[in-house]
Amino acid sequence: MQALLVVDAQNEFSSEGLMPVPEHAEVVAAIARRVEDARSERRPIAWIRHNNRPGESRRFLPGTWGADFTSGFGARPGTGIEVEFVKQVLGAFTGSGLGSWLEAQQVSEVLIVGSLAHMCVSTTAREAVMRGLQVAIDPDATASEPI
């Protein structure tokens, strides 16, 4: 079974955030399509939120607008197959319980979307490979910092 991992789809990456990414609106629309596909197919969805520790940065501080998921995003309560995980490092598997949850859902493959492609998305993909999962990344549903 394939699960959708939505990595750091948070306000901080919007044009009003402290870490805006190019083409944010297009990426958000592509993520929304992937989420709707997963929901219609009843596939598990892991919503991964990055929180910085106090003193690390002004970005992604728990309880701030920047740390909130993009409007309309986040686990739907009561579904049982959408869960939120919080991370404080680049990889979504490290210290979050994501791996155990995917095992319990009998997931063998993950589709990863979100931000930032060259940081948290790629680290999460490598962690998934190390756990024996098949990994796909949707380039239209990922964002990165401008060059």
Side-chain angles (χ1 to χ4, degrees):
M1 173 187 297
Q2 183 190 71
L4 178 64
L5 308 185
V6 183
V7 177
D8 304 347
Q10 294 167 262
N11 289 328
E12 211 69 272
F13 293 116
S14 72
S15 60
E16 296 83 25
L18 295 174
M19 202 170 180
V21 295
E23 302 176 0
H24 182 260
E26 292 86 349
V27 170
V28 165
I31 292 170
R33 286 190 298 274
R34 289 297 191 168
V35 168
E36 286 311 310
D37 289 347
R39 284 176 174 160
S40 70
E41 296 167 9
R42 305 266 318 136
R43 287 186 284 124
I45 303 173
W47 294 91
I48 296 130
R49 179 192 309 269
H50 184 85
N51 279 345
N52 278 339
R53 296 176 190 105
E56 284 184 334
S57 171
R58 294 182 321 135
R59 301 177 300 212
F60 304 102
L61 291 177
T64 65
W65 175 85
D68 288 344
F69 285 122
T70 299
S71 180
F73 284 178
R76 283 190 179 165
T79 65
I81 59 169
E82 292 189 38
V83 177
E84 179 182 331
F85 296 92
V86 177
K87 65 181 183 61
Q88 294 182 319
V89 296
L90 298 177
F93 286 86
T94 302
S96 71
L98 174 61
S100 298
W101 182 76
L102 292 172
E103 285 177 21
Q105 303 301 312
Q106 300 180 347
V107 168
S108 59
E109 182 180 338
V110 293
L111 171 59
I112 306 174
V113 299
S115 296
L116 293 168
H118 67 290
M119 299 291 283
C120 297
V121 170
S122 64
T123 301
T124 298
R126 288 189 301 276
E127 287 180 328
V129 167
M130 296 300 293
R131 291 175 169 273
L133 297 168
Q134 295 290 319
V135 176
I137 297 173
D138 181 348
D140 294 331
T142 58
S144 198
E145 293 178 299
I147 296 175

